[in-house]
Amino acid sequence: MKKILDITFPLSANLTVWPNDPPVRMEAIREAGKGARSTISRLEMGSHSGTHLDAPSHFIEGGGTVDALDLDILIGECLAAEVEADAITAEVIDSLNIPDDVQRVIFKTRNSQRFTETGDFFRDYVGVTTSGARRLLEMGIKLVGTDYLSAAAYSDITQVHCALLDGGVVLLEMLNLKDIRPGRYELVCLPLKLAGADGSPCRAVLIEDAKKG
Amino acid sequence: MKKILDITFPLSANLTVWPNDPPVRMEAIREAGKGARSTISRLEMGSHSGTHLDAPSHFIEGGGTVDALDLDILIGECLAAEVEADAITAEVIDSLNIPDDVQRVIFKTRNSQRFTETGDFFRDYVGVTTSGARRLLEMGIKLVGTDYLSAAAYSDITQVHCALLDGGVVLLEMLNLKDIRPGRYELVCLPLKLAGADGSPCRAVLIEDAKKG
């Protein structure tokens, strides 16, 4: 029997976003029972709000857009790995002994305990460093997920995003991993099909007891 | 080997929406290479834009919201059935001989040939009628998908939405089924986790050669 674990943060007006990114807004413009037969809302948000995916064009001029992300990468076997360290460096990744067949990895860090949906943004989150990005590319990893607004450490934002996105790695950010045990799952993360966009909020789930790869 | 078929229409500014619904807008507010290190966009759209899911609260005051839709219904075995008729009535559904074990059904109709992404809205689309809704409930169907902006026929909008949504049936609308052959697939349709919203654009895919149920 499969069990679906939701690893997505709810999108709401108070959700913490990256500094200077647009806030999330939702407003009913017609309401059932209040002069209309149905309720419809206007949605506003940034392309990197909440749990989301980065497209190459987020950091690379003329790079691929979010509607073109490869669905074969967004759905498939995934390893959830726990990191105790302050940064996801090459050395830390090596210490995890990630098996050769792993193509998708999500890192659960202390961000998962520290982040609260409406709290202040903090810079000293645990993220992937330049050496970590290099190691992930060497390993042939196709998707990297983390539990904060950026997969890249704050000090290495541009280098890490450019290296991974240019290397064809999909970045899945702001996962809600607080209740996730390390191990193998089936990952499904689907962005909106936003034509030409640099990223998209997504729904991300882990499926337990899927066939092991 | 699994094959993932995308049945989602791209969201763009010119996409046809339901009359008086908000249009889709995307605007880059920072651009990599133009005074910023990364590109970020502001997104605006209606909660029922493009390929989307309805929550009970779309038609039912105090009904369940889109963030609470059951993921076990949104992921699983699905039948794609072709309908030649002008409406999805009880009689038409009976003629399809849908097996008892089917819980999710998507109807491919002539809407799939007629709809163009930027064309005018038309009222005489093929949709589920009141008798069709009753039959789907009797059959224990949990998810109904169609290939136009509303699963309900235009003449029966309120009755059909209320009957199905109140009966716990998830409505998946505006699917791009032009290239889909009738048959069994694994369906994955994931909405954004919009707190308290009446619906959400979603990404919907069919997976071919998944295990048969």
Side-chain angles (χ1 to χ4, degrees):
Chain A
M1 184 59 190
K2 72 182 180 183
K3 187 174 172 197
I4 302 173
L5 307 169
D6 196 357
I7 53 171
T8 316
F9 282 105
L11 290 161
S12 71
N14 295 318
L15 184 70
T16 303
V17 297
W18 192 264
N20 302 316
D21 272 17
V24 177
R25 291 204 183 102
M26 289 183 271
E27 175 201 14
I29 58 168
R30 297 198 294 272
E31 287 188 67
K34 296 182 184 166
R37 62 186 180 184
S38 65
T39 301
I40 292 280
S41 303
R42 177 183 289 111
L43 314 173
E44 277 186 51
M45 65 194 78
S47 48
H48 300 256
S49 300
T51 303
H52 69 276
L53 286 153
D54 286 357
S57 66
H58 180 38
F59 268 83
I60 300 166
E61 284 183 73
T65 54
V66 76
D67 46 324
L69 287 179
D70 187 350
L71 290 164
D72 283 313
I73 296 178
L74 303 182
I75 300 177
E77 270 278 321
C78 166
L79 178 74
E82 187 145 22
V83 167
E84 312 267 337
D86 291 342
I88 304 168
T89 62
E91 198 179 352
V92 167
I93 292 168
D94 290 343
S95 74
L96 296 170
N97 296 313
I98 295 173
D100 283 349
D101 67 328
V102 170
Q103 295 199 309
R104 301 170 194 82
V105 60
I106 61 180
F107 294 109
K108 177 180 179 174
T109 77
R110 60 175 158 77
N111 302 333
S112 281
Q113 290 303 327
R114 188 175 171 197
F115 177 74
T116 56
E117 291 169 43
T118 58
D120 288 337
F121 174 82
F122 51 89
R123 294 179 175 201
D124 58 338
Y125 59 85
V126 181
V128 177
T129 66
T130 302
S131 80
R134 201 179 309 122
R135 183 68 88 248
L136 292 165
L137 287 165
E138 286 164 359
M139 292 164 66
I141 296 292
K142 296 292 180 202
L143 180 143
V144 175
T146 67
D147 51 3
Y148 202 62
L149 280 158
S150 168
Y154 195 81
S155 56
D156 296 6
I157 286 278
T158 303
Q159 303 92 307
V160 170
H161 274 96
C162 288
L164 292 175
L165 294 172
D166 195 44
V169 179
V170 173
L171 298 180
L172 173 58
E173 299 173 332
M174 199 68 275
L175 294 170
N176 184 356
L177 302 177
K178 206 155 82 171
D179 299 324
I180 300 300
R181 283 176 293 103
R184 298 249 193 176
Y185 299 90
E186 178 92 1
L187 170 72
V188 181
C189 57
L190 293 182
L192 297 185
K193 195 169 179 174
L194 297 166
D198 46 81
S200 174
C202 71
R203 189 66 171 267
V205 303
L206 294 177
I207 304 175
E208 226 172 6
D209 297 331
K211 84 172 152 44
K212 299 290 183 281
Chain B
M1 184 57 190
K2 72 181 181 183
K3 188 175 172 193
I4 301 173
L5 307 169
D6 195 357
I7 52 171
T8 317
F9 283 106
L11 289 161
S12 72
N14 296 318
L15 184 69
T16 303
V17 296
W18 192 265
N20 302 317
D21 271 17
V24 177
R25 291 204 182 102
M26 287 182 273
E27 174 201 14
I29 59 168
R30 298 199 292 271
E31 287 189 67
K34 296 181 184 166
R37 62 186 179 184
S38 65
T39 301
I40 293 280
S41 303
R42 179 184 287 110
L43 314 174
E44 277 186 51
M45 65 194 78
S47 47
H48 298 255
S49 299
T51 303
H52 70 277
L53 286 153
D54 287 356
S57 67
H58 181 37
F59 269 83
I60 300 166
E61 285 183 71
T65 56
V66 77
D67 47 324
L69 287 179
D70 185 352
L71 291 164
D72 283 313
I73 296 180
L74 304 181
I75 300 177
E77 271 278 321
C78 166
L79 178 74
E82 188 144 21
V83 166
E84 311 268 339
D86 291 341
I88 304 168
T89 61
E91 198 180 352
V92 166
I93 292 169
D94 290 342
S95 75
L96 296 170
N97 296 313
I98 295 173
D100 284 347
D101 67 329
V102 169
Q103 295 199 309
R104 300 169 195 83
V105 60
I106 61 180
F107 294 108
K108 177 180 179 174
T109 77
R110 60 174 158 76
N111 301 334
S112 280
Q113 290 303 325
R114 188 173 171 199
F115 177 74
T116 57
E117 290 169 43
T118 59
D120 288 336
F121 173 82
F122 51 90
R123 292 178 176 202
D124 58 338
Y125 59 85
V126 181
V128 177
T129 66
T130 302
S131 79
R134 203 177 308 122
R135 183 68 86 248
L136 292 165
L137 287 166
E138 286 163 1
M139 294 164 66
I141 296 293
K142 295 291 181 204
L143 180 144
V144 175
T146 67
D147 51 3
Y148 202 62
L149 281 158
S150 168
Y154 195 81
S155 56
D156 297 4
I157 285 279
T158 302
Q159 302 93 309
V160 169
H161 273 96
C162 289
L164 292 175
L165 293 172
D166 195 43
V169 179
V170 173
L171 299 180
L172 174 58
E173 299 173 330
M174 197 70 274
L175 294 170
N176 184 356
L177 301 177
K178 205 153 83 170
D179 299 325
I180 299 301
R181 284 176 294 101
R184 297 249 193 176
Y185 299 89
E186 178 91 2
L187 170 72
V188 182
C189 58
L190 293 182
L192 298 184
K193 195 169 179 173
L194 297 165
D198 47 82
S200 174
C202 71
R203 190 66 171 270
V205 303
L206 294 177
I207 304 175
E208 226 172 6
D209 295 332
K211 84 173 152 43
K212 299 289 183 279

